Amino acid sequence: YAQSAALPRLKGAMTNPYPRRNFFINVDLDVHASVSSDAEFAVLIDGLAPVAHHLERPPGLATFELHEQHVEPGPAILEFVRHVENLPAAAREFWDAATRRVFAIGLESGQQPYCPYNANYRLSAEVLAAVTRVRAEIDITMYALDDGRNVPPELVAADEG
């Protein structure tokens, strides 16, 4: 592993004392519909209430997060799909009439070269088929690290080059 002269040198670059973090944040379920208020989403909000809570959004959009978070996106999507497929009839009709249904996967980036890890999240054929069955999409959002969590100062050594 050769380090560029333009980059700061890291103490212990090959061994990091910090534990591996999970870059997966969660999966939100975004449902877009031609409605003018959250009240019109009530049937869907009630139908998903056993497994997910509703987040405040502008009219025409309802966002849900699972009560129990998963460590990977696939199982979270499958949990949402299981409940969508078993919604009461009125809630399922609302779902089917929605203009968009999106499983929004949130990931947090690392910062190269300081982040020595990468993360791979596989969406299996089972997950993709489930998303297709409920006529939904998958959206992936990569969030930047907060400035306060970039590089621990004790890992950065003066550039000697």
Side-chain angles (χ1 to χ4, degrees):
Y1 166 75
Q3 187 170 14
S4 166
L7 301 174
R9 299 188 191 281
L10 300 180
K11 296 178 186 174
M14 297 307 284
T15 58
N16 189 331
Y18 296 92
R20 179 176 170 83
R21 344 186 303 27
N22 189 346
F23 295 97
F24 170 66
I25 299 170
N26 72 347
V27 174
D28 288 346
L29 172 57
D30 296 330
V31 181
H32 301 257
S34 298
V35 299
S36 58
S37 72
D38 271 353
E40 295 178 72
F41 274 106
V43 67
L44 186 61
I45 293 169
D46 292 345
L48 290 172
V51 294
H53 54 276
H54 172 246
L55 304 173
E56 293 297 320
R57 294 291 187 252
L61 171 63
T63 297
F64 300 90
E65 286 185 349
L66 293 170
H67 299 311
E68 300 289 325
Q69 294 298 320
H70 293 267
V71 297
E72 292 198 4
I77 291 170
L78 289 174
E79 183 174 348
F80 268 128
V81 169
R82 274 192 300 277
H83 290 282
V84 166
E85 290 178 326
N86 292 299
L87 285 170
R92 184 58 193 256
E93 286 174 24
F94 187 93
W95 172 272
D96 290 339
T99 56
R100 284 185 74 206
R101 296 153 295 276
V102 181
F103 295 105
I105 299 171
L107 302 172
E108 184 177 61
S109 70
Q111 185 179 17
Q112 295 297 337
Y114 305 113
C115 181
Y117 309 117
N118 65 20
N120 298 304
Y121 299 102
R122 182 178 63 89
L123 296 177
S124 68
E126 176 189 13
V127 171
L128 298 175
V131 169
T132 301
R133 277 196 317 271
V134 296
R135 297 181 21 235
E137 306 168 18
I138 295 172
D139 180 14
I140 300 170
T141 302
M142 181 66 69
Y143 295 96
L145 287 174
D146 290 339
D147 289 341
R149 297 185 290 159
N150 283 343
V151 180
E154 62 271 17
L155 289 182
V156 179
D159 188 3
E160 301 172 356

